Amino acid sequence: MEFGKNLKRLRKVKNISQQRLAKEIGVSQRTVSHYEKGESEPSLLCLCKIAAFLGVSTDELLGHVLA
């Protein structure tokens, strides 16, 4: 799943722990781990919170390439 890989990559590039991201978006660290492993997907609201916190678009987070 592109989302999980992109989330982990962007989080690491910005030097943000799973715990900090979880706190900022209102979920548990375990939930962030599940997102990164592709075991679950965030709601639309949560996806928007993640993108805003990481300073990227939801398209970038989801791996959509815009021409």
Side-chain angles (χ1 to χ4, degrees):
M1 167 186 251
E2 288 289 320
F3 168 72
K5 290 177 185 176
N6 288 335
L7 174 58
K8 186 173 185 176
R9 178 182 55 79
L10 289 165
R11 182 180 61 74
K12 289 188 174 257
V13 164
K14 295 179 182 283
N15 200 28
I16 297 169
S17 68
Q18 286 184 344
Q19 187 66 37
R20 180 170 172 217
L21 177 60
K23 182 178 178 183
E24 291 293 330
I25 64 172
V27 299
S28 69
Q29 179 272 326
R30 176 174 270 190
T31 298
V32 172
S33 176
H34 286 290
Y35 292 162
E36 290 184 358
K37 292 177 184 176
E39 295 172 352
S40 64
E41 296 179 354
S43 67
L44 182 57
L45 177 60
C46 193
L47 179 68
C48 291
K49 287 180 180 180
I50 294 168
F53 181 69
L54 294 176
V56 298
S57 69
T58 53
D59 281 333
E60 184 177 351
L61 195 54
L62 292 170
H64 295 158
V65 178
L66 302 176

